[in-house]
Amino acid sequence: MHESLDDIERYLIKRVKELREKKGLSQVSLSLALGKSTTFISDIEAPSKKAKYNVKHLNDIAKIFECSPKDFWPEKPL
């Protein structure tokens, strides 16, 4: 992940990626399900990019994954 991202931002990106892969969704399919460009998720997951999720993205992804937005967050502060 890009060095300018905070630990919590890196954690959220990693957690969403883990759940996305567990659900068998590609980066493109999740991007399209969110109504974003086909490169939206790949830009966020790319180590060289500064892209990150916002609260609305996480809420929308939780709807797609049929889970709680809390599932993306660590149990304790980082």
Side-chain angles (χ1 to χ4, degrees), residues 36-51:
K36 303 290 185 182
S37 70
T38 56
T39 60
F40 180 74
I41 299 298
S42 63
D43 287 346
I44 291 174
E45 292 182 3
S48 61
K49 305 271 183 156
K50 294 181 185 179

Side-chain angles (χ1 to χ4, degrees), residues 28-75:
V28 172
S29 63
L30 181 54
S31 294
L32 294 174
L34 289 168
K36 303 290 185 182
S37 70
T38 56
T39 60
F40 180 74
I41 299 298
S42 63
D43 287 346
I44 291 174
E45 292 182 3
S48 61
K49 305 271 183 156
K50 294 181 185 179
K52 57 189 173 186
Y53 296 114
N54 66 32
V55 175
K56 183 178 181 332
H57 298 146
L58 294 172
N59 190 64
D60 291 344
I61 292 169
K63 289 177 186 176
I64 293 164
F65 289 179
E66 298 179 337
C67 69
S68 170
K70 293 188 290 186
D71 294 337
F72 305 132
W73 292 84
E75 286 189 38

Side-chain angles (χ1 to χ4, degrees), residues 11-28:
Y11 181 93
L12 290 168
I13 292 168
K14 182 180 173 191
R15 184 70 181 133
V16 170
K17 180 180 179 181
E18 289 170 356
L19 292 173
R20 175 183 64 74
E21 290 174 340
K22 189 174 181 180
K23 296 261 183 200
L25 292 171
S26 69
Q27 292 176 335
V28 172

